[in-house]
PDB file of all heavy atoms in Angstrom:
ATOM      1  N   VAL A 895      14.478  15.538  13.259  1.00 91.00           N
ATOM      2  CA  VAL A 895      13.802  16.477  14.166  1.00 91.00           C
ATOM      3  C   VAL A 895      14.062  16.177  15.634  1.00 91.00           C
ATOM      4  O   VAL A 895      13.631  16.954  16.487  1.00 91.00           O
ATOM      5  CB  VAL A 895      12.274  16.471  13.924  1.00 91.00           C
ATOM      6  CG1 VAL A 895      11.953  16.788  12.476  1.00 91.00           C
ATOM      7  CG2 VAL A 895      11.639  15.150  14.332  1.00 91.00           C
ATOM      8  N   ARG A 896      14.775  15.122  15.948  1.00 89.00           N
ATOM      9  CA  ARG A 896      14.854  14.671  17.343  1.00 89.00           C
ATOM     10  C   ARG A 896      15.492  15.695  18.272  1.00 89.00           C
ATOM     11  O   ARG A 896      15.193  15.723  19.471  1.00 89.00           O
ATOM     12  CB  ARG A 896      15.600  13.329  17.428  1.00 89.00           C
ATOM     13  CG  ARG A 896      16.999  13.343  16.921  1.00 89.00           C
ATOM     14  CD  ARG A 896      17.593  11.943  16.849  1.00 89.00           C
ATOM     15  NE  ARG A 896      17.502  11.230  18.113  1.00 89.00           N
ATOM     16  CZ  ARG A 896      17.944   9.990  18.300  1.00 89.00           C
ATOM     17  NH1 ARG A 896      18.484   9.327  17.274  1.00 89.00           N
ATOM     18  NH2 ARG A 896      17.851   9.413  19.468  1.00 89.00           N
ATOM     19  N   GLU A 897      16.368  16.546  17.735  1.00 86.00           N
ATOM     20  CA  GLU A 897      17.001  17.566  18.572  1.00 86.00           C
ATOM     21  C   GLU A 897      16.284  18.908  18.492  1.00 86.00           C
ATOM     22  O   GLU A 897      16.698  19.876  19.137  1.00 86.00           O
ATOM     23  CB  GLU A 897      18.461  17.754  18.139  1.00 86.00           C
ATOM     24  CG  GLU A 897      19.312  16.492  18.176  1.00 86.00           C
ATOM     25  CD  GLU A 897      19.408  15.905  19.578  1.00 86.00           C
ATOM     26  OE1 GLU A 897      19.335  16.690  20.547  1.00 86.00           O
ATOM     27  OE2 GLU A 897      19.538  14.668  19.698  1.00 86.00           O
ATOM     28  N   GLN A 898      15.199  18.992  17.718  1.00 89.00           N
ATOM     29  CA  GLN A 898      14.504  20.257  17.498  1.00 89.00           C
ATOM     30  C   GLN A 898      13.484  20.515  18.591  1.00 89.00           C
ATOM     31  O   GLN A 898      12.833  19.596  19.099  1.00 89.00           O
ATOM     32  CB  GLN A 898      13.809  20.242  16.139  1.00 89.00           C
ATOM     33  CG  GLN A 898      13.086  21.535  15.792  1.00 89.00           C
ATOM     34  CD  GLN A 898      12.565  21.529  14.359  1.00 89.00           C
ATOM     35  OE1 GLN A 898      13.008  20.724  13.542  1.00 89.00           O
ATOM     36  NE2 GLN A 898      11.636  22.412  14.046  1.00 89.00           N
ATOM     37  N   ALA A 899      13.326  21.767  18.944  1.00 86.00           N
ATOM     38  CA  ALA A 899      12.277  22.135  19.885  1.00 86.00           C
ATOM     39  C   ALA A 899      10.926  21.714  19.315  1.00 86.00           C
ATOM     40  O   ALA A 899      10.647  21.914  18.132  1.00 86.00           O
ATOM     41  CB  ALA A 899      12.297  23.639  20.134  1.00 86.00           C
ATOM     42  N   GLY A 900      10.095  21.123  20.165  1.00 89.00           N
ATOM     43  CA  GLY A 900       8.781  20.692  19.722  1.00 89.00           C
ATOM     44  C   GLY A 900       8.740  19.313  19.109  1.00 89.00           C
ATOM     45  O   GLY A 900       7.694  18.891  18.600  1.00 89.00           O
ATOM     46  N   ALA A 901       9.878  18.589  19.137  1.00 93.00           N
ATOM     47  CA  ALA A 901       9.914  17.270  18.493  1.00 93.00           C
ATOM     48  C   ALA A 901       8.903  16.303  19.089  1.00 93.00           C
ATOM     49  O   ALA A 901       8.471  15.363  18.414  1.00 93.00           O
ATOM     50  CB  ALA A 901      11.321  16.676  18.602  1.00 93.00           C
ATOM     51  N   ALA A 902       8.493  16.533  20.341  1.00 95.00           N
ATOM     52  CA  ALA A 902       7.501  15.652  20.962  1.00 95.00           C
ATOM     53  C   ALA A 902       6.159  15.718  20.251  1.00 95.00           C
ATOM     54  O   ALA A 902       5.332  14.812  20.382  1.00 95.00           O
ATOM     55  CB  ALA A 902       7.327  16.013  22.434  1.00 95.00           C
ATOM     56  N   SER A 903       5.935  16.783  19.475  1.00 96.00           N
ATOM     57  CA  SER A 903       4.666  16.925  18.756  1.00 96.00           C
ATOM     58  C   SER A 903       4.668  16.193  17.420  1.00 96.00           C
ATOM     59  O   SER A 903       3.651  16.195  16.718  1.00 96.00           O
ATOM     60  CB  SER A 903       4.374  18.410  18.499  1.00 96.00           C
ATOM     61  OG  SER A 903       4.198  19.091  19.720  1.00 96.00           O
ATOM     62  N   TYR A 904       5.808  15.580  17.074  1.00 97.00           N
ATOM     63  CA  TYR A 904       5.885  14.857  15.802  1.00 97.00           C
ATOM     64  C   TYR A 904       5.631  13.370  16.007  1.00 97.00           C
ATOM     65  O   TYR A 904       6.233  12.725  16.880  1.00 97.00           O
ATOM     66  CB  TYR A 904       7.268  15.042  15.161  1.00 97.00           C
ATOM     67  CG  TYR A 904       7.503  14.106  13.987  1.00 97.00           C
ATOM     68  CD1 TYR A 904       6.740  14.205  12.824  1.00 97.00           C
ATOM     69  CD2 TYR A 904       8.472  13.101  14.061  1.00 97.00           C
ATOM     70  CE1 TYR A 904       6.939  13.338  11.763  1.00 97.00           C
ATOM     71  CE2 TYR A 904       8.673  12.229  12.997  1.00 97.00           C
ATOM     72  CZ  TYR A 904       7.907  12.354  11.853  1.00 97.00           C
ATOM     73  OH  TYR A 904       8.102  11.486  10.818  1.00 97.00           O
ATOM     74  N   VAL A 905       4.740  12.808  15.196  1.00 97.00           N
ATOM     75  CA  VAL A 905       4.442  11.375  15.195  1.00 97.00           C
ATOM     76  C   VAL A 905       4.412  10.932  13.730  1.00 97.00           C
ATOM     77  O   VAL A 905       3.579  11.405  12.952  1.00 97.00           O
ATOM     78  CB  VAL A 905       3.084  11.066  15.861  1.00 97.00           C
ATOM     79  CG1 VAL A 905       2.802   9.559  15.822  1.00 97.00           C
ATOM     80  CG2 VAL A 905       3.053  11.582  17.291  1.00 97.00           C
ATOM     81  N   GLY A 906       5.301  10.042  13.347  1.00 97.00           N
ATOM     82  CA  GLY A 906       5.366   9.603  11.957  1.00 97.00           C
ATOM     83  C   GLY A 906       4.178   8.745  11.560  1.00 97.00           C
ATOM     84  O   GLY A 906       3.537   8.102  12.392  1.00 97.00           O
ATOM     85  N   GLY A 907       3.895   8.741  10.258  1.00 97.00           N
ATOM     86  CA  GLY A 907       2.825   7.904   9.740  1.00 97.00           C
ATOM     87  C   GLY A 907       3.105   7.509   8.302  1.00 97.00           C
ATOM     88  O   GLY A 907       3.872   8.175   7.595  1.00 97.00           O
ATOM     89  N   HIS A 908       2.484   6.415   7.864  1.00 97.00           N
ATOM     90  CA  HIS A 908       2.682   5.953   6.488  1.00 97.00           C
ATOM     91  C   HIS A 908       1.482   5.117   6.052  1.00 97.00           C
ATOM     92  O   HIS A 908       1.361   3.947   6.419  1.00 97.00           O
ATOM     93  CB  HIS A 908       3.964   5.119   6.377  1.00 97.00           C
ATOM     94  CG  HIS A 908       4.200   4.579   4.998  1.00 97.00           C
ATOM     95  ND1 HIS A 908       4.952   3.442   4.758  1.00 97.00           N
ATOM     96  CD2 HIS A 908       3.772   5.001   3.775  1.00 97.00           C
ATOM     97  CE1 HIS A 908       4.990   3.206   3.454  1.00 97.00           C
ATOM     98  NE2 HIS A 908       4.282   4.128   2.845  1.00 97.00           N
ATOM     99  N   PRO A 909       0.580   5.698   5.253  1.00 96.00           N
ATOM    100  CA  PRO A 909      -0.534   4.901   4.721  1.00 96.00           C
ATOM    101  C   PRO A 909      -0.052   4.004   3.589  1.00 96.00           C
ATOM    102  O   PRO A 909       0.642   4.453   2.676  1.00 96.00           O
ATOM    103  CB  PRO A 909      -1.503   5.967   4.200  1.00 96.00           C
ATOM    104  CG  PRO A 909      -0.630   7.147   3.871  1.00 96.00           C
ATOM    105  CD  PRO A 909       0.508   7.104   4.840  1.00 96.00           C
ATOM    106  N   MET A 910      -0.418   2.728   3.639  1.00 92.00           N
ATOM    107  CA  MET A 910      -0.044   1.780   2.586  1.00 92.00           C
ATOM    108  C   MET A 910      -1.120   1.826   1.497  1.00 92.00           C
ATOM    109  O   MET A 910      -1.905   0.901   1.309  1.00 92.00           O
ATOM    110  CB  MET A 910       0.112   0.379   3.160  1.00 92.00           C
ATOM    111  CG  MET A 910       1.172   0.268   4.239  1.00 92.00           C
ATOM    112  SD  MET A 910       2.824   0.764   3.677  1.00 92.00           S
ATOM    113  CE  MET A 910       3.207  -0.540   2.526  1.00 92.00           C
ATOM    114  N   ALA A 911      -1.137   2.943   0.810  1.00 89.00           N
ATOM    115  CA  ALA A 911      -2.127   3.161  -0.247  1.00 89.00           C
ATOM    116  C   ALA A 911      -1.515   4.086  -1.279  1.00 89.00           C
ATOM    117  O   ALA A 911      -0.638   4.888  -0.967  1.00 89.00           O
ATOM    118  CB  ALA A 911      -3.411   3.777   0.327  1.00 89.00           C
ATOM    119  N   GLY A 912      -1.978   3.980  -2.497  1.00 80.00           N
ATOM    120  CA  GLY A 912      -1.462   4.831  -3.549  1.00 80.00           C
ATOM    121  C   GLY A 912      -2.109   4.482  -4.872  1.00 80.00           C
ATOM    122  O   GLY A 912      -3.144   3.827  -4.932  1.00 80.00           O
ATOM    123  N   SER A 913      -1.490   4.943  -5.946  1.00 74.00           N
ATOM    124  CA  SER A 913      -2.030   4.741  -7.283  1.00 74.00           C
ATOM    125  C   SER A 913      -0.892   4.869  -8.270  1.00 74.00           C
ATOM    126  O   SER A 913       0.143   5.477  -7.980  1.00 74.00           O
ATOM    127  CB  SER A 913      -3.119   5.789  -7.581  1.00 74.00           C
ATOM    128  OG  SER A 913      -3.480   5.783  -8.954  1.00 74.00           O
ATOM    129  N   GLU A 914      -1.067   4.258  -9.450  1.00 67.00           N
ATOM    130  CA  GLU A 914      -0.075   4.448 -10.497  1.00 67.00           C
ATOM    131  C   GLU A 914      -0.141   5.864 -11.060  1.00 67.00           C
ATOM    132  O   GLU A 914       0.775   6.314 -11.742  1.00 67.00           O
ATOM    133  CB  GLU A 914      -0.282   3.431 -11.627  1.00 67.00           C
ATOM    134  CG  GLU A 914      -1.535   3.599 -12.445  1.00 67.00           C
ATOM    135  CD  GLU A 914      -2.764   2.996 -11.778  1.00 67.00           C
ATOM    136  OE1 GLU A 914      -2.631   2.493 -10.631  1.00 67.00           O
ATOM    137  OE2 GLU A 914      -3.854   3.033 -12.382  1.00 67.00           O
TER     138      GLU A 914
END
Side-chain angles (χ1 to χ4, degrees):
V895 304
R896 60 188 306 180
E897 303 299 330
Q898 182 173 343
S903 296
Y904 169 65
V905 179
H908 178 205
M910 300 301 292
S913 169
E914 68 278 3

